[in-house]
Amino acid sequence: MKEILHKTYKFSNSWTGTIIIVLFVIFFVAQAFKIPSGSMKDSLLVGDHLFAKKFAYGIPMPHIPFLEVSIMPWSDKLRLMDGDKPKRGDIVIFRPPHNTKQHFVKRCVALPGDELFVLHKDLYIHYSEGNEWIEKNFKEYDILPFAGKLWVKDPYMKDHPGIHHDDKIVDDGQSPMPIFNFAPIKVDKDHYFMMGDNRDHSNDSRFWGAVPYENIEGTPWFVYFSIDKNWEIRWDRIGKTPTDLESSVYLDKAIAERVKEDKDDYGIY
């Protein structure tokens, strides 16, 4: 046993062993990501560097970092092994269906079988569990009866206060229509509807559809570094999980930063 441990130790200290261990961690355990856009403000900020938990929803097909080349280039599969599925309200890292070379970070708002629509910016969801389940579990929420079904209005804003709208974005023909009104749809089997917390500045499932389970990579684990546009380090965010960052201590600072840097040409991310 000692001999095996000694050989393992020597191998881990070699260049080959180090590379294999690093690749194993990146492929199957954790991978570093940077939040490049403002679509998840005020929950996650531009300049947040975080580790993604790669095994949260099964095991995605490993890709070589930066090159985004699959380790199995002869296969077009994006998933190596199935596992848990995203839950409503989870922040999810995934490859969007229109460009699987990219990674997006959004919040899962609807599961397979759920129905939803957007009216005057507000999100309405009829959960697949049905009317009785909705009446029992959403007593403190606004509920709209429509077409024989109950629809919960903006069901995630209470639990995830980083979700917000921009009062400057109005329906004057200058912004994309799905921001304001989106026709009722039912989420397909093995698909998940994703939306950014910065609702009026998010390029998400309203524009290109629900995300197949196969495209899902993981979930943010914790922030290991954060820096704002002025190159000032946000020391208080380092080591924090997305759940930690939803507390008023961090949200108040995030909102203040957003208001300070807000610009008229702020677009869709």
Side-chain angles (χ1 to χ4, degrees):
M1 183 64 179
K2 287 184 178 180
E3 185 178 350
I4 294 175
L5 291 174
H6 180 68
K7 288 182 178 179
T8 302
Y9 175 75
K10 286 188 65 177
F11 176 73
S12 66
N13 279 336
S14 67
W15 277 107
T16 302
T18 299
I19 292 172
I20 290 175
I21 291 170
V22 169
L23 289 177
F24 178 84
V25 171
I26 292 174
F27 287 161
F28 303 110
V29 181
Q31 185 172 346
F33 288 96
K34 175 187 175 183
I35 301 296
S37 75
S39 69
M40 282 301 291
K41 290 180 178 180
D42 297 311
S43 303
L44 296 173
L45 304 182
V46 177
D48 280 348
H49 294 65
L50 52 87
F51 282 119
K53 191 186 296 183
K54 297 292 291 286
F55 54 88
Y57 306 116
I59 301 176
M61 180 64 71
H63 284 65
I64 299 173
F66 306 110
L67 299 177
E68 285 302 328
V69 176
S70 171
I71 63 170
M72 299 181 184
W74 57 88
S75 173
D76 59 358
K77 289 185 177 181
L78 295 176
R79 178 153 299 281
L80 193 61
M81 184 183 299
D82 289 351
D84 292 339
K85 306 296 170 61
K87 299 179 180 64
R88 299 177 183 118
D90 283 1
I91 298 178
V92 180
I93 299 171
F94 58 91
R95 297 176 184 272
H98 62 287
N99 186 356
T100 57
K101 296 289 186 181
Q102 284 188 307
H103 288 94
F104 279 12
V105 182
K106 311 287 182 183
R107 193 178 297 277
C108 176
V109 301
L111 305 183
D114 291 345
E115 299 175 70
L116 62 89
F117 66 87
V118 175
L119 180 64
H120 305 315
K121 290 191 180 182
D122 292 316
L123 173 65
Y124 293 84
I125 300 182
H126 174 76
Y127 294 110
S128 60
E129 288 85 350
N131 288 348
E132 291 185 6
W133 184 86
I134 290 173
E135 287 181 323
K136 180 180 178 181
N137 290 276
F138 291 89
K139 294 178 180 179
E140 304 299 321
Y141 291 76
D142 292 334
I143 296 178
L144 173 71
F146 172 68
K149 298 176 181 178
L150 298 180
W151 304 78
V152 186
K153 179 181 178 181
D154 291 326
Y156 302 103
M157 285 186 165
K158 289 184 179 180
D159 291 334
H160 305 290
I163 300 173
H164 66 279
H165 293 285
D166 185 346
D167 293 337
K168 298 190 304 300
I169 302 299
V170 296
D171 191 3
D172 59 1
Q174 301 299 310
S175 299
M177 183 52 62
I179 291 175
F180 309 99
N181 298 293
F182 183 84
I185 65 162
K186 184 175 183 177
V187 182
D188 291 337
K189 180 181 178 182
D190 293 328
H191 284 65
Y192 299 83
F193 203 90
M194 308 292 185
M195 293 178 69
D197 285 3
N198 193 1
R199 287 286 167 82
D200 301 340
H201 300 285
S202 175
N203 179 17
D204 52 37
S205 289
R206 291 171 291 180
F207 299 92
W208 32 257
V211 178
Y213 173 64
E214 182 177 356
N215 292 43
I216 291 173
E217 291 279 302
T219 186
W221 204 344
F222 64 91
V223 174
Y224 68 86
F225 184 69
S226 184
I227 190 168
D228 65 19
K229 70 172 188 176
N230 297 317
W231 300 97
E232 294 182 3
I233 298 174
R234 305 185 187 103
W235 293 103
D236 60 327
R237 298 180 70 83
I238 296 175
K240 301 299 187 295
T241 67
T243 301
D244 294 333
L245 296 174
E246 288 186 322
S247 69
S248 60
V249 175
Y250 302 103
L251 277 178
D252 289 347
K253 289 184 178 180
I255 293 170
E257 182 176 319
R258 167 167 56 85
V259 171
K260 184 178 179 180
E261 67 183 18
D262 200 13
K263 295 180 180 179
D264 292 337
D265 60 351
Y266 188 33
I268 304 293
Y269 302 114

